[in-house]
Amino acid sequence: MADTTHSALAPTYHPLPITIARAHGTHVWDTDGNEFLDFLSGYSALNFGHLHQGLVAAAMTQMRQVTLTSRAFDHDRLEEFAQRLVEVVGPLTTGGENSLVVPMNTGAEAVETAIKAVRKWGYDVRGVPEDEATVVVAGGNFHGRTTTLVGLSDNPTARDGFGPFTPGFRQVPFGDLAAVADAVDDTTVAVLMEPVQGEAGVIVPPDDFWPGLRELTTKQDIALVADEIQSGLGRTGTTIACELWDVQPDLVCLGKALGGGIVPVSAVVGKPEILGVLTPGTHGSTFGGNPLACAVGVAALDLLSTGQYQARAAASGKVLKERLDALVERGLLTEARTIGLWAGVDLDPAFGTGRDLCEALLERGVLAKDTREASIRLSPPLSIVQPELEMALDILEESLIALRGERSAGASNEAATDADDEGEAAEAAEKAEETEAEAADPTDDAADDVPDATSDDGAVTDDDSTAQGTDERSELSPTAG
């Protein structure tokens, strides 16, 4: 194991205390050979599991041919990749079979590409005055880490210290259709939102929200852009999450799982009237759509084209929801939000933070990640089998019980310690009073004149203080008696 006493890495992450050395399917192993179930899946980049053999084979085959040409030249996998995306995702957008594709690398690049496209479309097609285009976004969003995208965030950790931010965005509460309607005007070129907010804790909007957005944006000739970087490609039991509400967005941003956990691959797919405004020189990427990315992307789309992974996510998601709802009913969780094979769970802050729960899970062999202070998200590979899922949920229950027990025991021990301290203080005060009385009249008979220890001065007798301390310890401490 490498010496990590002094890291050369900038401290941009606070990882859980595990160093992974090997992975396969739903499992990973650390440098000491300990085995863990992966319930994060690289924030859904590993929807197909670690080192899926079909994806690895596609990558290895392509690596023997050509891996990068830049977009200065075409290569033999690029059009194949674009056509496959149009076949699988195009019909789920308003672009249909005529959809266009802009291949990129990371999710943030895909969202930035969509923003550029809708702005230029607004100017060139809609006639919005130059530099006045606005985009409506949602509070609680996470679209990426670029300066533009953190400017859309209301998370202080992600946002503070990185301004000034790009103008032209209006933020409204997620799920509030009336607020969106109030925010749009003649300058609005797009509504950009995640169908389900993953980083915020798997926040699912009201069922009428996305259909309402579609109706509103169509009526106002505004582009509807769905950021499906985390929610797309099978996670919600559908190819894209918007299908859950029978909504076709104009543009879909895809990433993470599109690269199969092997290479970063992202893309924007959708309406040709919008993406067609990006002409030569207006946008590009050296690595976007490279041969290796396209080969892996095609293989990932082939896996999704059968519907098998979507069906598994839907079926396993029912088990996940049932088990998590039961934990809520028992009071071990305060809330659980489940959609497909994806869940955000909240625990009572009195019993620990999301980080505390993740560390408790880690100790028992399950990997998960906290989102907000007292929340974690659960997103295992879609390939997980029911015994693995049930085992991980058993471990979650065990971890929650352990956290509650630790906090309850800690509170009891603290209360018992306080009681001991109070008893000792009262005893010392009583002895001090006796000493003062003896100094005033040292004769034995004068002892009868010592004030009663329970008189108006508030002192407590030695016998009373001992009894009080014993009673409190017996009632509060789990080890008393």
Side-chain angles (χ1 to χ4, degrees):
M1 181 176 178
D3 180 12
T4 57
T5 54
H6 177 71
S7 177
L9 294 169
T12 55
Y13 281 85
H14 178 42
L16 288 164
I18 176 177
T19 302
I20 296 171
R22 186 165 61 90
H24 182 74
T26 57
H27 297 259
V28 302
W29 288 262
D30 68 9
T31 51
D32 296 322
N34 300 308
E35 184 175 0
F36 302 83
L37 266 172
D38 185 354
F39 256 57
L40 180 62
S41 302
Y43 305 102
S44 292
L46 290 156
N47 280 1
F48 308 108
H50 292 271
L51 298 180
H52 184 286
Q53 292 306 296
L55 300 176
V56 171
M60 293 298 292
T61 298
Q62 188 61 45
M63 287 176 70
R64 297 186 184 99
Q65 304 298 322
V66 58
T67 58
L68 179 66
T69 61
S70 84
R71 288 297 303 278
F73 315 104
D74 280 339
H75 59 80
D76 61 350
R77 304 307 301 268
L78 183 58
E79 188 63 37
E80 177 190 7
F81 173 60
Q83 290 289 350
R84 199 74 178 104
L85 263 175
V86 170
E87 291 171 7
V88 175
V89 180
L92 308 178
T93 75
T94 57
E97 62 183 12
N98 295 316
S99 292
L100 293 180
V101 173
V102 182
M104 300 298 290
N105 306 285
T106 66
E109 288 177 82
V111 177
E112 290 266 11
T113 298
I115 291 171
K116 288 180 68 174
V118 296
R119 281 180 167 177
K120 189 164 176 54
W121 169 75
Y123 299 135
D124 293 357
V125 179
R126 282 267 314 277
V128 175
E130 190 71 19
D131 295 336
E132 293 185 16
T134 59
V135 176
V136 178
V137 299
N141 74 74
F142 181 82
H143 294 295
R145 299 283 188 181
T146 66
T147 50
T148 291
L149 300 183
V150 297
L152 313 186
S153 175
D154 54 11
N155 180 351
T157 303
R159 178 186 173 94
D160 290 357
F162 300 113
F165 299 113
T166 308
F169 296 94
R170 297 171 179 167
Q171 188 182 99
V172 299
F174 184 58
D176 189 337
L177 188 59
V180 178
D182 289 342
V184 303
D185 59 23
D186 291 341
T187 68
T188 306
V189 295
V191 173
L192 163 64
M193 294 188 185
E194 303 153 275
V196 178
Q197 292 188 329
E199 191 69 21
V202 190
I203 307 300
V204 183
D207 284 339
D208 63 351
F209 183 62
W210 273 87
L213 286 181
R214 180 68 281 178
E215 182 179 355
L216 173 66
T217 52
T218 299
K219 183 178 179 179
Q220 300 285 346
D221 194 21
I222 296 169
L224 181 58
V225 183
D227 178 351
E228 297 253 13
I229 306 297
Q230 285 195 51
S231 61
L233 305 181
R235 175 55 58 187
T236 62
T238 51
T239 301
I240 63 172
C242 285
E243 291 180 81
L244 296 169
W245 300 285
D246 295 322
V247 168
Q248 290 180 311
D250 298 308
L251 299 181
V252 173
C253 301
L254 299 171
K256 294 195 184 297
L258 191 57
I262 297 176
V263 289
V265 184
S266 68
V268 184
V269 185
K271 204 169 185 175
E273 292 83 356
I274 299 175
L275 293 180
V277 303
L278 298 177
T279 54
T282 61
H283 193 60
S285 168
T286 300
F287 279 84
N290 67 75
L292 180 59
C294 289
V296 174
V298 167
L301 291 165
D302 286 346
L303 293 175
L304 286 168
S305 66
T306 67
Q308 175 187 356
Y309 282 91
Q310 296 91 317
R312 293 186 70 166
S316 296
K318 292 178 181 178
V319 176
L320 180 64
K321 177 175 173 53
E322 181 180 327
R323 290 289 303 272
L324 294 178
D325 287 348
L327 295 178
V328 173
E329 290 176 7
R330 291 177 54 192
L332 292 173
L333 293 171
T334 59
E335 186 178 351
R337 299 166 297 277
T338 308
I339 185 164
L341 194 55
W342 198 19
V345 301
D346 303 337
L347 64 157
D348 187 337
F351 299 112
T353 64
R355 174 79 181 199
D356 292 333
L357 179 54
C358 288
E359 290 180 352
L361 288 167
L362 176 67
E363 290 175 2
R364 294 164 174 82
V366 174
L367 302 184
K369 183 70 174 66
D370 50 311
T371 54
R372 298 296 170 95
E373 184 64 25
S375 303
I376 71 169
R377 94 188 84 190
L378 303 173
S379 52
L382 308 185
S383 56
I384 194 169
V385 295
Q386 186 162 337
E388 292 175 326
L389 179 60
E390 296 278 11
M391 180 177 71
L393 292 170
D394 288 343
I395 291 173
L396 173 63
E397 179 179 348
E398 177 187 332
S399 299
L400 289 166
I401 292 172
L403 274 183
R404 174 164 291 198
E406 289 171 5
R407 293 304 171 104
S408 296
S412 297
N413 290 336
E414 182 178 346
T417 299
D418 289 344
D420 286 340
D421 291 343
E422 289 172 5
E424 291 172 2
E427 182 179 353
E430 191 271 341
K431 288 181 177 180
E433 288 184 6
E434 289 180 353
T435 301
E436 290 176 3
E438 290 173 359
D441 187 356
T443 64
D444 291 341
D445 292 340
D448 293 335
D449 297 327
V450 175
D452 187 278
T454 58
S455 64
D456 292 341
D457 66 3
V460 181
T461 65
D462 184 46
D463 289 341
D464 287 341
S465 69
T466 303
Q468 182 183 5
T470 302
D471 288 343
E472 291 192 22
R473 286 193 297 274
S474 298
E475 182 178 344
L476 296 175
S477 175
T479 59

